[in-house]
């Protein structure tokens, strides 16, 4: 990061924090943030499991019967079905666990 960019970021970080704190007061914004966090958590879980299994997206696609493009889409945070996640979990030899718990806004 260049010095100018760093200085700008340091000068404006408090105003950005204030901006996002203000935005979080809006319930529809909070819901959108939580939705994105959930999608990204699912994406990260799939990437982690796939990499721990030593599989590429292509090899997971072949093993699961789920198209590589779908795996890529899921890993990029796009929505998918529980049926597709189940196929991927089975191919990875892992159980699919779905947890719905109270949201905490940190």
């Amino acid at each position: 990061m260049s010095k100018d960019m760093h200085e700008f970021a340091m000068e404006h970080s408090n105003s950005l924090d204030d901006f996002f704190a203000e935005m979080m007061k809006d319930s529809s914004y909070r819901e959108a943030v939580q939705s994105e966090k959930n999608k990204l958590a699912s994406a990260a879980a799939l990437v982690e499991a796939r990499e721990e299994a030593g599989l590429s997206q292509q090899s997971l696609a072949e093993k699961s019967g789920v198209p590589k493009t779908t795996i890529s889409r899921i890993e990029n945070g796009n929505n998918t079905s529980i049926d597709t996640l189940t196929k991927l979990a089975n191919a990875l030899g892992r159980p699919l666990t779905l947890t719905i718990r109270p949201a905490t806004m940190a």
Side-chain angles (χ1 to χ4, degrees), residues 5-42:
M5 289 293 289
H6 179 72
E7 288 174 5
F8 178 84
M10 296 312 295
E11 289 172 10
H12 293 87
S13 63
N14 285 342
S15 59
L16 286 174
D17 291 342
D18 293 343
F19 171 77
F20 287 114
E22 186 65 30
M23 291 295 293
M24 290 299 278
K25 293 178 183 177
D26 180 295
S27 63
S28 62
Y29 181 82
R30 279 194 318 273
E31 290 170 10
V33 167
Q34 189 60 50
S35 176
E36 290 304 310
K37 282 183 177 181
N38 289 342
K39 288 179 194 176
L40 292 175
S42 298

Side-chain angles (χ1 to χ4, degrees), residues 45-83:
L46 178 58
V47 170
E48 183 178 332
R50 180 178 58 74
E51 289 178 347
E52 286 177 359
L55 298 174
S56 65
Q57 288 181 345
Q58 184 62 46
S59 57
L60 178 57
E62 292 165 4
K63 193 170 182 177
S64 66
V66 173
K68 179 184 177 289
T69 54
T70 300
I71 294 169
S72 177
R73 185 175 48 78
I74 295 166
E75 289 186 359
N76 283 309
N78 292 303
N79 201 0
T80 191
S81 69
I82 292 175
D83 183 54

